[in-house]
Amino acid sequence: MQKTYSGFVAIIGPTNAGKSTLLNQIMGRKVSIVSHKVQTTRTRLRAVKMVGDRQLIFVDTPGVFKPKRRLDRAMVGAAMDAISDADAVLLILDAQKGITDTIRDLVVKIRGHKNLFVALNKSDAILKQDLLPIAAELSQMADWREIFMISALKNDGVDQMLNALADVMPASPYLFDAADATDVPDTLYLAELTREKVYKYIHQELPYHINVVTERVDVAPDDVLDIYQKIVVRSDAHKKIVIGRGGNQLQQIGTAARHDIQNQWGVNARLHLFVRVEPDWEDRAENYTDQGLDFKK
């Protein structure tokens, strides 16, 4: 009987370090939303990647930052909880920003883990002689198994990193089907695709106070998916911003999200978006549990 290996890899790092971009590159398709804005990822998204006969279960955690709100605390808590359950921890940092105070604080929290790896992302954007001092300082901070120089966007160095992670996975029956996949519920995945477009087209701080919920998905007689989603905001003023003049902003968000849904799923879809004011949405437990977050954080 063939011996199999399966284990969890927690991807952790500060906001905008490239964690979601890396996971999308590993999976060969979009599984986690990407934005130039910080604090984009909210959920602990799991993606399964086979490397030979070894199964890597990646947990893409929310970025670590100084929390100010209940949602912030829940996001950071989700990131830190993922470490305790992981068979390996992969710290991602932006090589252009170097070793920040956030990185130093993170290393203190994770350095007791037995299988620590670190990846200097966006390493193609700076000179090699500028990378070496960063790697040297990192090597003094924790007992890393390996330090990688990668570009998640260009897929440079990613395969070597995957092989190293696979080597430390424990002998185990496969914990998921032996295929590349994610275990995110379809309704949450659809909501995340739309939330990504909200981040793209609304440029104030407003996106951090917005939630997207997929209320239902129907299959019409013409085999087109009818997807009904609500964009939840905290005030009428926020609602006006999301809708835009003459509804232009909401139409732009909806069109982009529908195209993305069709491209990712290979289906025809109609996306029905409604903007609703719920002033207390950040204080309601169901809006956390639906995203795999702990309301008590």
Side-chain angles (χ1 to χ4, degrees):
M1 184 175 180
Q2 182 184 8
K3 193 171 184 179
T4 58
Y5 303 82
S6 184
F8 289 86
V9 180
I11 305 177
I12 193 165
T15 55
N16 266 10
K19 300 182 300 299
S20 295
T21 300
L22 174 62
L23 190 61
N24 290 341
Q25 186 67 257
I26 289 170
M27 299 303 295
R29 61 188 177 93
K30 182 181 292 184
V31 296
S32 189
I33 71 171
V34 177
S35 170
H36 67 281
K37 296 180 173 68
V38 300
Q39 303 166 26
T40 305
T41 301
R42 287 182 181 171
T43 64
R44 277 187 292 180
L45 184 150
R46 290 192 297 194
V48 180
K49 178 69 177 178
M50 296 301 300
V51 179
D53 62 353
R54 294 171 181 256
Q55 186 179 74
L56 302 178
I57 304 158
F58 286 96
V59 183
D60 178 25
T61 64
V64 175
F65 53 96
K66 291 184 178 179
K68 297 178 181 178
R69 303 169 294 153
R70 182 194 292 272
L71 179 61
D72 295 344
R73 294 193 296 272
M75 289 162 60
V76 172
M80 301 314 298
D81 287 348
I83 296 171
S84 60
D85 299 328
D87 298 288
V89 175
L90 176 63
L91 172 64
I92 308 292
L93 63 89
D94 185 339
Q96 295 174 292
K97 296 179 180 178
I99 301 173
T100 63
D101 288 341
T102 298
I103 292 293
R104 291 188 177 91
D105 291 343
L106 258 179
V107 172
V108 169
K109 293 175 181 177
I110 68 175
R111 63 186 176 193
H113 200 283
K114 64 179 180 180
N115 289 321
L116 280 181
F117 298 83
V118 61
L120 294 174
N121 190 27
K122 308 176 188 177
S123 60
D124 58 315
I126 65 176
L127 298 173
K128 186 175 181 180
Q129 57 261 35
D130 295 327
L131 283 171
L132 295 178
I134 300 174
E137 184 177 348
L138 281 168
S139 66
Q140 299 298 315
M141 296 169 65
D143 188 15
W144 311 100
R145 283 190 173 267
E146 288 196 50
I147 298 175
F148 303 101
M149 312 290 184
I150 70 166
S151 169
L153 188 62
K154 296 181 179 179
N155 201 28
D156 291 339
V158 175
D159 286 343
Q160 177 189 356
M161 185 184 70
L162 287 176
N163 289 330
L165 290 167
D167 284 344
V168 301
M169 291 299 100
S172 166
Y174 292 145
L175 302 175
F176 290 83
D177 290 339
D180 297 349
T182 63
D183 73 338
V184 176
D186 289 345
T187 53
L188 177 57
Y189 181 72
L190 291 170
E192 288 289 273
L193 290 179
T194 300
R195 190 164 64 88
E196 180 183 55
K197 302 308 177 290
V198 174
Y199 275 74
K200 180 177 180 180
Y201 292 111
I202 297 180
H203 302 293
Q204 294 98 330
E205 289 297 308
L206 178 57
Y208 306 121
H209 299 286
I210 283 178
N211 197 29
V212 179
V213 178
T214 303
E215 296 194 303
R216 76 176 199 268
V217 179
D218 298 332
V219 181
D222 56 1
D223 290 330
V224 176
L225 291 184
D226 276 308
I227 302 165
Y228 296 85
Q229 294 179 334
K230 66 176 180 179
I231 299 176
V232 183
V233 297
R234 295 174 59 183
S235 69
D236 287 328
H238 291 171
K239 181 177 180 178
K240 290 178 181 178
I241 293 172
V242 174
I243 293 174
R245 187 184 300 273
N248 288 339
Q249 185 80 276
L250 185 62
Q251 183 178 7
Q252 187 177 39
I253 291 168
T255 299
R258 178 174 57 83
H259 287 163
D260 207 2
I261 289 167
Q262 292 183 150
N263 290 337
Q264 297 298 325
W265 276 18
V267 297
N268 291 322
R270 287 184 289 261
L271 181 60
H272 309 272
L273 294 180
F274 307 90
V275 184
R276 296 180 184 167
V277 177
E278 297 179 9
D280 62 342
W281 80 260
E282 290 185 56
D283 296 315
R284 289 161 56 185
E286 63 268 23
N287 292 320
Y288 291 74
T289 54
D290 288 348
Q291 299 181 60
L293 299 174
D294 186 349
F295 179 67
K296 297 178 182 178
K297 292 293 181 183

